[in-house]
Amino acid sequence: ALYGAVNAVSRSFIRVEADELTYPSHVILRYTIEKEVIEGKLDVSDIPSRWNGLMKDTLSVDVPSDSKGCLQDVHWSMLAFGYFPTYLLGTACAAQLAHFCHQDIPDMDEKISKGEFAEIKAWLTSKVHRHGSRYKSLDQLLTEQVGEPHPQYFVKYLKDKYTKLYGCD
């Protein structure tokens, strides 16, 4: 019951309060708007209406105010454009690493439940940490260590987790 409650899916207009299943939609919405502004396809004054429309289209959420909509994050006021996608890239990367760690350590979930992290830490050290800045990019590190970066691992993680959680077999 606790696991289900902690992993409940519900629509939210606040990104940092979003569940892990709808969170990517929040990031994609922000990236879409950033890209349109930078390309000159969207005027800054039109951001609130574009935001509200995308929230309605993607999450079926009516945004009650700009403070709970396009002004909820500090990133744009700090001119941190292009930052939001890094959240999603990190999550996708973590899912890919977890996938390959599971392949090499088949009882990984059991070890985690017992608080036994030494073998997992050693795997991460071998595949990621020991390389430091050896590779020019995260893509290159992933390609060399676990295969070409691909969102399929994140999609599979979400599908497997929430299909089981909600009994959608």
Side-chain angles (χ1 to χ4, degrees), residues 56-77:
K56 185 70 170 172
D57 292 346
T58 59
L59 293 169
S60 298
V61 171
D62 291 312
V63 180
S65 66
D66 289 346
S67 64
K68 293 190 187 259
C70 64
L71 298 178
Q72 67 180 268
D73 298 299
V74 298
H75 299 71
W76 292 342
S77 65

Side-chain angles (χ1 to χ4, degrees), residues 3 9 20-22 24 95 151-169:
Y3 181 77
V9 175
E20 114 183 288
L21 194 58
T22 60
Q152 71 186 8
Y153 303 103
F154 181 51
V155 171
K156 182 180 182 330
Y157 160 76
L158 290 174
K159 185 176 179 181
D160 290 350
K161 177 179 179 175
Y162 287 95
T163 297
K164 182 177 179 184
L165 184 64
Y166 285 98
C168 301
D169 296 334

Side-chain angles (χ1 to χ4, degrees), residues 97 100-101 104 120-132 135 141-142 144-146:
L97 290 171
F100 285 99
C101 188
D104 293 342
I120 297 164
K121 183 179 180 291
W123 186 92
L124 285 167
T125 297
S126 169
K127 298 292 184 182
V128 180
H129 304 146
R130 75 182 177 116
H131 300 290
Y135 296 106
L141 178 135
L142 288 173
E144 292 292 322
Q145 296 301 315
V146 296

Side-chain angles (χ1 to χ4, degrees), residues 101-149:
C101 188
H102 261 278
Q103 283 189 339
D104 293 342
I105 307 171
D107 61 341
M108 185 174 107
D109 291 334
E110 184 179 328
K111 288 183 182 303
I112 291 170
S113 70
K114 291 179 179 178
E116 298 171 1
F117 300 105
E119 191 174 354
I120 297 164
K121 183 179 180 291
W123 186 92
L124 285 167
T125 297
S126 169
K127 298 292 184 182
V128 180
H129 304 146
R130 75 182 177 116
H131 300 290
S133 61
R134 174 180 171 201
Y135 296 106
K136 292 182 181 181
S137 68
L138 176 61
D139 285 359
Q140 187 181 17
L141 178 135
L142 288 173
T143 300
E144 292 292 322
Q145 296 301 315
V146 296
E148 184 177 349

Side-chain angles (χ1 to χ4, degrees), residues 21-79:
L21 194 58
T22 60
Y23 187 88
S25 295
H26 286 269
V27 172
I28 292 166
L29 176 145
R30 286 158 175 79
Y31 175 72
T32 299
I33 290 174
E34 286 179 346
K35 188 174 179 203
E36 289 174 354
V37 169
I38 290 168
E39 291 175 344
K41 295 177 181 175
L42 180 67
D43 191 73
V44 171
S45 63
D46 295 327
I47 289 175
S49 62
R50 179 72 170 132
W51 179 285
N52 295 345
L54 286 172
M55 285 295 287
K56 185 70 170 172
D57 292 346
T58 59
L59 293 169
S60 298
V61 171
D62 291 312
V63 180
S65 66
D66 289 346
S67 64
K68 293 190 187 259
C70 64
L71 298 178
Q72 67 180 268
D73 298 299
V74 298
H75 299 71
W76 292 342
S77 65
M78 299 181 338
L79 301 177

